[in-house]
Amino acid sequence: MTGTGRKTFRLVLSGYYGFRNSGDEAVLKSIITALEEAATDAGVRVEPIVLSGDPEWTKKQYGVESVHRTKLGEVRRALKNSDGLISGGGSLLQDATGLGSIPYYLGIMALARWCGKPTFVYAQGIGPVNRKMFQPFIARAFKKAAYVSVRDEESAMLLRRYGVPPTSVEVVPDPVMGLPAASGAGGAMAADDSIAAAEGQDTPPVVGVSVRFWRSDRADLDRAAAALEALAGRHAVRLRFLPFHRGADEDASRYVMERLASSGVAAQLELAPAHDDPQLMLREVGRCALLIGMRLHSLIYAANQNVPLLGLSYDPKIDQFLQRLGQRAIGTTESLDLEYASQQAIDILRNPEHWHESCDALINRLKQEAGRPAQQIVAFIRK
């Protein structure tokens, strides 16, 4: 019990946290916010303990307890003193970026079970899992979980194929669909001064651009630059690059901006700050007339803010999210039709109402459903 008279439950949160990736940090912030709301509605309190790559930064950023994700002694103590483990969200169980991700996250779930604690899977995106040796271990962990939710039907299908009963898997939106934007005061306003100052003036629309490194030869970024050049040649725009991963995305953005500048593109080029606070980046996105994105969470941020969006796919998770909005990618990292991509952007800029008519109802539904995993988890632990 606490001074408020409400019972307190401690939940350990496991994910790709503490690495300054805006998408993953937004997932963490969204889960914390949803748990707080669900706990308040249930008349209890939830204290998160976050497993982080940078515990001190995470503590400062979110005001929560945090321990280092690779110091297993600290992780074990946190689990033993908790009421359960939340694994997710994000694309944790995949082997596209290396062999270590799946064993790590399944290992944390196993450690929680050894400590006698329930495990909960929170809106994860499963796959790609290219190595079949991992599949039975994923199935075992998910069968033993007290609650499982995934962020798209394709992930649910993969789990069914691995042998996880379909009745035990709930398909929910990405948690970030429920994240509120930052308020308009203080640092939040300062983050957007260059856009805010132009509001109400006769200036070109702001097109947000999210790019990342993927192909080693940078051909995908070269094609993206060419598509943006084609757009700027046919419609007045301000191209504002939004780095969702500090360092890497800033470098990828500069790479594209340099190619646009050298081509003499007729557009203002801007690089937004790589905000540590995901709600500030959410507010950056909310100021755009259109967002063109490679990063999944750039697209999710746009949907959250009801900003028209176009996706460039490097991974099936991009296509899966776009399908939930009744859309498809304008191209991939392997193929991009410059005429088609630029025309899609121009159509939205000239007639955004058509995009809203097609997508707003679907977006509102995702927003309403985003808090369901938190509600289910709080209901379980307070039994």
Side-chain angles (χ1 to χ4, degrees), residues 16 36 39 50 54 58 67 98 181 192 196 208 229 253 259 268 271 301:
Y16 191 69
E36 289 175 349
V50 178
D54 187 344
T58 297
V67 301
D192 304 307
E229 181 182 356
S253 296
R259 270 139 193 80
Q268 183 175 342
L271 179 60
Y301 279 36

Side-chain angles (χ1 to χ4, degrees), residues 42 65 110 129 132 183 242 249 261 306:
E65 185 178 341
V129 181
K132 290 186 177 181
S183 65
L242 308 175
D249 284 12
N306 289 85

